[in-house]
Amino acid sequence: MQEQLIDLSGDCARCFGLCCVALPFTASADFARDKPAGTPCPNLRDDHRCGIHAKLRDEGFTGCTVYDCFGAGQKVSQITFGGRDWRTGPREDARRMFDVFPVVRQLHELLWYLTEALTLPAARPVHADLRRMLERTEALTRGTAEELTALDVPAHRQEVNVLLLRTSDLVRAKIGGKKKNRRGADLMGARLKGADLRGASLRGAYLIAADLTGADLRGADLIGADLRDADLTDADLTGAFFLTQPQLNAARGSAGTRLPDSVTRPGHWTA
């Protein structure tokens, strides 16, 4: 899985710090200050690297530590704009680059899900359709700046989602036990310690600060689930799918938390 998704991971060395410029953020628990879209973060150095990368959490920029562009940064920097730096190029190029980046980021997230779906044996009946959609989505990411800014991303996302839903049904049907449907559920702060959530649909569920200590999440669909500050200590997420690294980075966990191969254990989790 990691090998297959290598091109869908952010590579800051090949990017012009686009996430630190194009995106806005608001002073909150995640960010120490306000920053409007299109304005460089004051922590961004001239070489496009973060000046406080090693201490982002200590400096109040936790939001930066849980963000991943899924490789969109280097795609826009090196392919869409052919390696032209927004700092030195025409101002119009910079504006277009900042408009294109969020579009490509959304497409790359869809590529992540489609790629993972193709690794799931239970989804074999839809593998051909998934492969066609992956190729089509990848082709869209290679469009011109004008084509990308004009793209109807929600409409394309809906087409992809039909296949991802079918994938979810096929995969979860293989999981034993009664499967819960908690799609879009408000589970903020919920006490789910030791809960049996095997094969559950938690698509888009709000699990902010939920206690999932020791919960069984094997084979659960976690696409879009909000796991900010959720406690995954000793939880079992073996076989959980559509779980991204940003989701996991936003949660809390331990050395005893069992994870699928598609993600890595965050460095800030307790030993």
Side-chain angles (χ1 to χ4, degrees):
M1 180 67 176
Q2 294 287 13
E3 219 171 275
Q4 292 170 302
L5 296 180
I6 190 73
D7 291 332
L8 297 177
S9 296
D11 184 352
C12 297
R14 296 166 55 208
C15 176
F16 298 131
L18 295 184
C19 64
C20 306
V21 187
L23 307 179
F25 51 71
T26 304
S28 61
D30 293 323
F31 297 101
R33 59 183 296 163
D34 293 330
K35 186 194 82 65
T39 301
C41 173
N43 299 312
L44 185 66
R45 303 185 315 208
D46 290 342
D47 63 355
H48 302 296
R49 308 306 285 268
C50 176
I52 61 168
H53 188 266
K55 50 182 180 178
L56 281 166
R57 288 180 177 273
D58 295 335
E59 296 287 338
F61 288 88
T62 301
C64 297
T65 69
V66 303
Y67 179 80
D68 192 323
C69 72
F70 295 99
Q74 63 260 31
K75 173 72 73 65
V76 174
S77 297
Q78 303 301 329
I79 296 178
T80 314
F81 286 87
R84 298 194 301 276
D85 188 338
W86 59 266
R87 288 188 190 272
T88 57
R91 181 170 296 182
E92 179 60 20
D93 269 6
R95 186 191 64 77
R96 288 193 304 153
M97 188 177 288
F98 301 154
D99 288 342
V100 165
F101 173 65
V103 174
V104 178
R105 196 271 181 189
Q106 291 182 73
L107 293 175
H108 268 234
E109 183 178 5
L110 294 176
L111 287 173
W112 171 280
Y113 296 135
L114 289 166
T115 302
E116 180 174 7
L118 283 166
T119 70
L120 303 173
R124 196 173 303 279
V126 291
H127 274 188
D129 291 334
L130 287 165
R131 194 168 289 107
R132 281 191 290 270
M133 186 60 75
L134 185 146
E135 291 170 356
R136 180 181 162 197
T137 305
E138 168 62 17
L140 289 174
T141 70
R142 294 179 178 274
T144 64
E146 292 73 22
E147 290 169 338
L148 285 162
T149 52
L151 182 65
D152 187 344
V153 178
H156 184 69
R157 182 181 288 275
Q158 182 56 38
E159 289 186 63
V160 173
N161 198 46
V162 171
L163 288 175
L164 298 183
L165 279 167
R166 179 62 180 144
T167 297
S168 179
D169 290 342
L170 288 167
V171 173
R172 292 185 302 108
K174 298 288 187 180
I175 309 298
K178 186 177 181 181
K179 290 169 279 295
K180 299 178 176 63
N181 183 0
R182 297 295 183 88
R183 183 177 180 181
D186 183 352
L187 298 170
M188 291 191 288
R191 297 176 180 177
L192 297 168
K193 184 175 182 179
D196 182 359
L197 294 168
R198 285 174 296 165
S201 174
L202 291 166
R203 299 171 66 89
Y206 296 94
L207 288 158
I208 302 169
D211 182 4
L212 289 159
T213 303
D216 190 344
L217 290 153
R218 286 177 291 171
D221 180 351
L222 291 166
I223 194 168
D226 194 335
L227 295 172
R228 283 178 293 170
D229 208 32
D231 192 348
L232 296 173
T233 298
D234 296 335
D236 190 350
L237 287 87
T238 306
F241 57 101
F242 298 150
L243 172 67
T244 66
Q245 195 64 47
Q247 285 173 292
L248 206 59
N249 290 347
R252 293 179 288 130
S254 67
T257 305
R258 280 161 284 184
L259 301 172
D261 294 336
S262 56
V263 291
T264 58
R265 195 176 310 277
H268 67 277
W269 280 15
T270 56

